[in-house]
Amino acid sequence: MSESKEFKKKLEKYGNKYEEEVQEMLILTGENLGGACSLTRGIWIPSANFLAGADTESGEINSGEGELFWLAEEKDRDGWIFDLEPLTIYHIKCRKRKAEKNKENADMFLNKYMLVEVVGRNLQNEGLLNVLSDYRKPVFIEDGQCGRFELERVYGCFSAVLPWNGGECNVSLDYDGKDIETAKKALAAFKEIYADIARWDRDFRDFAARKLTELANDWQPGGGATISEENFSNRILISEFSIDDDGEYTVYYDDDDMFCGHVILVTGSLKEGMTSAKIAG
């Protein structure tokens, strides 16, 4: 850990959010590792998810999914101090997040800990290995119209590559991580669009053209040919489509270099129709 005064000050303040008691547990890390958000200039809050926790003495599973947080400095970016690896069993010391007084937000802080120390790495534990085995089992949603969607746990969705107007498109169904019915509802919403794919695709591209053609012309180098809405609509090509159980969708189009390789996003819902078009990436 860093010995800088500023870091120590921030660490003490951040630690007030957690219980004083340091407890030990075994954890099986998930796949969401390596991310960090900025606390202040030069100081970061890295995080890591875990799939389950177990008692260090009995080895019995004593918690479900959770998250670990800690502080690090800019110089710690390579590995964020603890060098955690995905889908690995660790023996850790940690401090539990304090209970939230606001009952509406209480669930947000369940099973969250401040990571204090990694005691052991690459361990073996029967219960956690069983969790890992179940995690690695493929899960599918089969549909007569759209085929097979496979669960992508790390991204929180079911996905499939489907034919799309003579090409292909990666389609993602949002999944809440707990109830597969959320993904099935997303599929039902998607099928309303996929049943009339030619019209929907044309409408998506025409909507993007109306919203972004003027901006596309602003991006063109001096002396370049003017882009019309019709030309814009015909040039863009779908790459991805995502939708959730409420029928809210995001459509991703390749820009044909009109925006120097940025992706074009069209968002909306079955209830409200298309609501925005923008560039990203």
Side-chain angles (χ1 to χ4, degrees):
M1 287 286 189
S2 169
E3 295 296 328
S4 73
K5 292 181 180 180
E6 179 66 15
F7 183 82
K8 286 184 176 180
K9 181 179 178 181
K10 294 296 183 182
L11 181 61
E12 182 179 357
K13 183 177 180 181
Y14 181 74
N16 290 335
K17 299 178 181 180
Y18 297 84
E19 302 289 350
E20 287 294 327
E21 179 188 3
V22 176
Q23 57 181 282
E24 298 187 37
M25 63 190 298
L26 302 177
I27 59 159
L28 169 64
T29 54
E31 296 184 85
N32 295 319
L33 306 178
C37 63
S38 176
L39 177 65
T40 188
R41 184 176 181 180
I43 299 179
W44 298 83
I45 306 176
S47 63
N49 76 311
F50 60 89
L51 303 179
D55 185 86
T56 55
E57 294 186 4
S58 69
E60 295 182 359
I61 301 296
N62 59 16
S63 71
E65 295 183 16
E67 290 182 277
L68 303 173
F69 303 89
W70 62 98
L71 294 194
E73 292 184 284
E74 190 72 25
K75 66 181 181 62
D76 302 317
R77 290 178 70 98
D78 185 13
W80 292 124
I81 300 174
F82 295 111
D83 294 308
L84 299 179
E85 297 291 334
L87 306 180
T88 303
I89 299 174
Y90 292 91
H91 177 180
I92 66 169
K93 291 183 179 180
C94 57
R95 292 164 54 189
K96 188 174 181 60
R97 178 80 185 222
K98 289 180 180 178
E100 179 64 32
K101 294 180 180 179
N102 185 342
K103 294 183 179 180
E104 293 183 359
N105 297 327
D107 290 347
M108 294 175 57
F109 303 105
L110 291 176
N111 227 24
K112 298 183 186 298
Y113 300 83
M114 180 176 174
L115 179 57
V116 175
E117 180 184 348
V118 173
V119 180
R121 299 170 178 272
N122 299 305
L123 305 179
Q124 300 293 306
N125 173 271
E126 183 178 1
L128 294 178
L129 289 174
N130 288 336
V131 172
L132 179 59
S133 177
D134 288 341
Y135 181 83
R136 284 176 165 162
K137 290 178 182 178
V139 179
F140 302 101
I141 294 177
E142 301 278 359
D143 180 75
Q145 179 183 354
C146 298
R148 172 184 285 187
F149 289 80
E150 183 172 0
L151 176 59
E152 303 282 352
R153 288 184 173 86
V154 68
Y155 300 116
C157 68
F158 282 80
S159 68
V161 176
L162 301 182
W164 191 289
N165 280 353
E168 290 184 332
C169 176
N170 186 77
V171 178
S172 300
L173 311 174
D174 189 52
Y175 170 57
D176 68 0
K178 299 177 181 178
D179 188 357
I180 198 172
E181 290 302 317
T182 58
K184 290 182 178 180
K185 289 179 181 178
L187 175 59
F190 171 70
K191 289 173 68 174
E192 293 187 36
I193 293 173
Y194 201 58
D196 196 3
I197 185 176
R199 178 182 68 82
W200 276 94
D201 185 60
R202 170 56 66 180
D203 288 348
F204 290 141
R205 289 186 284 117
D206 287 350
F207 180 81
R210 290 196 299 273
K211 297 293 185 180
L212 297 175
T213 296
E214 182 177 351
L215 180 61
N217 280 298
D218 291 342
W219 276 63
Q220 302 314 298
T226 300
I227 301 172
S228 67
E229 287 190 11
E230 181 180 6
N231 179 247
F232 184 108
S233 179
N234 289 333
R235 287 175 65 175
I236 63 176
L237 183 67
I238 197 167
S239 59
E240 298 180 44
F241 185 101
S242 65
I243 191 166
D244 68 14
D245 57 327
D246 290 325
E248 295 184 357
Y249 53 73
T250 301
V251 197
Y252 302 76
Y253 282 90
D254 294 332
D255 73 335
D256 195 32
D257 286 330
M258 289 185 288
F259 298 106
C260 301
H262 287 67
V263 70
I264 295 170
L265 305 181
V266 176
T267 59
S269 69
L270 289 177
K271 293 178 181 178
E272 298 181 4
M274 286 161 268
T275 56
S276 72
K278 59 184 179 181
I279 60 174

